[in-house]
């Protein structure tokens, strides 16, 4: 097998291609988040209904990822990724011409299905084609593209909406995504190490059930659901608070609030080093506590304290997500790609459920009610992290006893 190595021209082209791909995916996915107050005004709908513009996309993405990941094993990696990006970009442009909210939701659902062809395959391509020693760098650039795309998609659409309306805002994101698709298609080399396989539904189904029977994996999947559910609920409705009295901020200023997402790029990398030194259990609990404190600070009336709270929550959220997602790969003993896909499925499903249910709390109980809901989700995540920590302690204790008493060891798993 020939691998792509760090420092070579083909490595730089591949890394740039996946940076563009990550930007494309998350710019399209999250461009509607700052536009929800605009949807409420123009279509005379509640914040909860407006949040469906993101929720239907993420749930369609979550379900479709399970399908595209399996299809790529048969049809190949690059063709599906290119088609996925192209179709999603075109659908994003068509969304800008929606005359009513029902058609907008239909387009956003199709966008979610189309987008699923990239994240479900990207990591498989990188794992097959990039030299193991260079994989961390390539993966880091791809994730950076995700983060920058999510931030820029929100900021660009928010600013364009403020001056030119939401139609131009979404259309502009679609045009930028078309350029990113072209870059990806030209820059990415075809797969060299991909081996087509038969689509064995029965084997995939059995493996899926095995993953769901594992208590630790089930906890991690639920944690992903709770984390992104909290994130979507918080950022879906913060715009409604900030454009209203007494803050009365413009749409442009509100969209710049999403710059706090950049914190996630640093917290994930920094957390990785701390995990190596102190273990993932302790660092996960600490970061969930940071997220909990941050979301509680957003209850403060002072705008500066609200922004500090958003920053702390974002730090804890991204760090917690990076630990939980990597833990899945370590825990799964077989079909690791499928185990990761299951995590992402529940992760994005959490965005849909949390974002929409959060709207109900916001509409009925106001900001305090919404924050109480998010705090509850984070407390559940904390309970799960403590449970996982105790299980890990039992495993270590069992291993110590087994080494001390090799004759008495049993095959039973604690």
């Amino acid at each position: 097998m020939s691998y792509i190595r760090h420092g070579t021209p083909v490595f730089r082209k591949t890394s740039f291609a996946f940076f563009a791909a990550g930007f494309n995916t998350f710019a399209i996915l999250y461009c509607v988040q700052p536009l929800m107050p605009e949807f409420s005004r123009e279509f005379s709908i509640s914040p909860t209904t407006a949040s469906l513009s993101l929720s239907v996309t993420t749930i369609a993405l979550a379900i479709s990822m399970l399908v595209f990941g399996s299809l790529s094993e048969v049809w190949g990696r690059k063709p599906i990724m290119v088609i996925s990006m192209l179709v999603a970009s075109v659908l994003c442009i068509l969304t800008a011409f929606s005359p009513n909210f029902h058609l907008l939701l239909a387009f956003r659902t199709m966008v979610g299905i189309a987008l699923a062809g990239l994240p479900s395959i990207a990591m498989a391509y990188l794992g097959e084609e990039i030299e193991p020693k260079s994989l961390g760098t390539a993966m880091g650039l791809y994730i950076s593209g995700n983060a920058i795309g999510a931030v820029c998609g929100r900021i660009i659409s928010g600013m364009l909406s403020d001056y030119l309306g939401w139609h131009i805002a979404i259309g502009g994101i679609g045009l930028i995504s078309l350029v990113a698709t072209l870059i990806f298609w030209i820059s990415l080399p075809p797969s060299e190490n991909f081996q087509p396989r038969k689509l064995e539904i029965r084997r995939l189904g059995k493996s899926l059930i095995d993953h769901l029977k594992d208590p630790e994996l089930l906890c991690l999947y639920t944690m992903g659901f709770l984390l992104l559910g909290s994130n979507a609920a918080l950022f879906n409705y913060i715009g409604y608070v900030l454009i209203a009295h007494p803050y009365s901020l413009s749409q442009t200023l509100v969209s710049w609030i999403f710059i706090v997402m950049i914190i996630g790029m640093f917290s994930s990398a920094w957390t990785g080093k701390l995990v190596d030194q102190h273990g993932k259990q302790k660092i996960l609990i600490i970061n969930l506590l940071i997220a909990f404190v941050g979301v509680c600070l957003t209850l403060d009336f002072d705008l500066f304290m609200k922004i500090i709270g958003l920053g702390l929550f974002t730090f804890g959220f991204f760090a917690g997500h990076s630990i939980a997602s990597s833990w899945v790969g370590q825990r799964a003993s077989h079909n690791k790609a499928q185990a990761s896909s299951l995590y992402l499925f529940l992760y994005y499903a959490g965005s849909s459920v949390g974002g929409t249910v959060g709207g109900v709390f916001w509409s009925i109980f106001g900001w305090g009610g919404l924050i109480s809901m998010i705090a509850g989700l984070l407390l559940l995540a904390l309970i799960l992290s403590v449970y996982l920590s105790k299980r890990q302690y039992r495993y270590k204790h069992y291993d110590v006893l087994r080494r001390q008493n090799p004759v008495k060891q049993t095959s039973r798993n604690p």
Side-chain angles (χ1 to χ4, degrees):
M1 287 187 177
S2 60
Y3 289 106
I4 298 172
R5 297 185 177 183
H6 185 271
T8 61
V10 69
F11 179 86
R12 288 190 289 271
K13 289 178 67 177
T14 302
S15 298
F16 184 55
F18 275 101
F19 179 88
F23 184 97
N24 169 295
T25 302
F26 285 85
I28 291 176
L29 182 61
Y30 288 109
C31 69
V32 296
Q33 199 166 42
L35 307 181
M36 290 176 189
E38 290 289 316
F39 296 154
S40 292
R41 281 196 294 267
E42 177 157 340
F43 299 117
S44 300
I45 55 177
S46 68
T48 305
T49 305
S51 73
L52 292 174
S53 59
L54 178 59
S55 295
V56 297
T57 311
T58 51
I59 194 64
L61 172 69
I63 295 170
S64 302
M65 281 179 65
L66 296 175
V67 177
F68 277 108
S70 298
L71 289 179
S72 73
E73 301 289 349
V74 181
W75 294 346
R77 312 298 192 197
K78 182 176 178 178
I80 293 180
M81 289 190 288
V82 171
I83 293 171
S84 168
M85 291 175 63
L86 178 62
V87 172
S89 301
V90 172
L91 286 170
C92 185
I93 294 171
L94 292 176
T95 305
F97 295 95
S98 302
N100 56 63
F101 193 65
H102 292 96
L103 189 58
L104 186 146
L105 289 183
F107 277 125
R108 288 291 295 173
T109 302
M110 290 186 283
V111 163
I113 295 170
L115 282 176
L118 187 98
S120 61
I121 300 171
M123 292 187 180
Y125 176 98
L126 289 170
E128 289 168 351
E129 305 299 329
I130 304 294
E131 179 189 35
K133 292 181 180 179
S134 308
L135 184 58
T137 303
M139 196 72 78
L141 285 169
Y142 169 58
I143 293 172
S144 296
N146 293 350
I148 293 174
V151 172
C152 291
R154 291 171 167 111
I155 293 176
I156 293 171
S157 66
M159 292 177 65
L160 288 175
S161 174
D162 201 16
Y163 295 105
L164 302 171
W166 69 265
H167 299 276
I168 299 296
I170 294 180
I173 294 296
L175 290 173
I176 293 171
S177 297
L178 275 178
V179 174
T181 301
L182 184 63
I183 292 171
F184 181 81
W185 178 50
I186 294 173
S187 302
L188 188 70
S191 298
E192 294 289 339
N193 301 323
F194 169 72
Q195 297 293 330
R197 303 171 190 170
K198 290 183 179 180
L199 189 59
E200 298 179 354
I201 302 296
R202 183 177 295 180
R203 176 181 286 183
L204 288 173
K206 183 181 181 301
S207 174
L208 184 73
I209 293 172
D210 288 343
H211 290 319
L212 293 174
K213 285 181 178 179
D214 186 305
E216 281 195 31
L217 285 176
L218 199 55
C219 282
L220 293 168
Y221 296 153
T222 306
M223 198 174 297
F225 180 93
L226 296 170
L227 283 171
L228 195 56
S230 302
N231 181 284
L234 182 63
F235 284 99
N236 276 4
Y237 304 103
I238 187 67
Y240 287 95
V241 175
L242 298 180
I243 64 175
H245 181 77
Y247 307 107
S248 302
L249 299 182
S250 68
Q251 186 66 53
T252 297
L253 285 175
V254 171
S255 67
W256 277 98
I257 294 295
F258 293 104
I259 197 70
V260 299
M261 293 288 183
I262 293 292
I263 293 172
M265 294 174 59
F266 300 102
S267 70
S268 298
W270 187 59
T271 298
K273 295 178 182 179
L274 290 178
V275 165
D276 292 339
Q277 297 172 4
H278 305 287
K280 52 185 177 288
Q281 302 91 354
K282 184 185 296 185
I283 303 303
L284 176 60
I285 292 172
I286 290 172
N287 279 291
L288 289 173
L289 286 171
I290 290 172
F292 181 82
V293 171
V295 81
C296 290
L297 283 178
T298 64
L299 289 169
D300 197 290
F301 183 79
D302 184 71
L303 178 60
F304 180 73
M305 290 304 295
K306 269 187 166 51
I307 295 173
I308 293 294
L310 289 174
L312 286 173
F313 170 83
T314 302
F315 184 99
F317 162 74
F318 275 100
H321 167 51
S322 66
I323 294 171
S325 58
S326 62
W327 197 336
V328 168
Q330 294 171 353
R331 174 62 185 173
S333 59
H334 62 284
N335 284 354
K336 293 179 181 289
Q338 187 187 53
S340 297
S341 294
L342 268 173
Y343 175 84
L344 290 174
F345 167 74
L346 283 164
Y347 180 70
Y348 287 112
S351 174
S352 299
V353 175
T356 303
V357 174
V360 176
F361 276 81
W362 160 247
S363 299
I364 298 175
F365 305 109
W367 187 246
L370 174 65
I371 296 305
S372 297
M373 185 204 88
I374 297 171
L377 295 180
L378 292 174
L379 282 175
L380 285 174
L382 267 169
I383 291 170
L384 290 176
S385 66
V386 171
Y387 171 75
L388 284 169
S389 181
K390 287 183 176 180
R391 284 186 64 89
Q392 290 294 305
Y393 173 79
R394 285 171 59 194
Y395 289 154
K396 290 179 181 178
H397 182 65
Y398 175 79
D399 287 339
V400 170
L401 289 177
R402 187 176 59 180
R403 285 194 295 269
Q404 290 176 348
N405 303 284
V407 177
K408 297 181 181 180
Q409 71 178 13
T410 71
S411 60
R412 194 173 174 182
N413 203 358

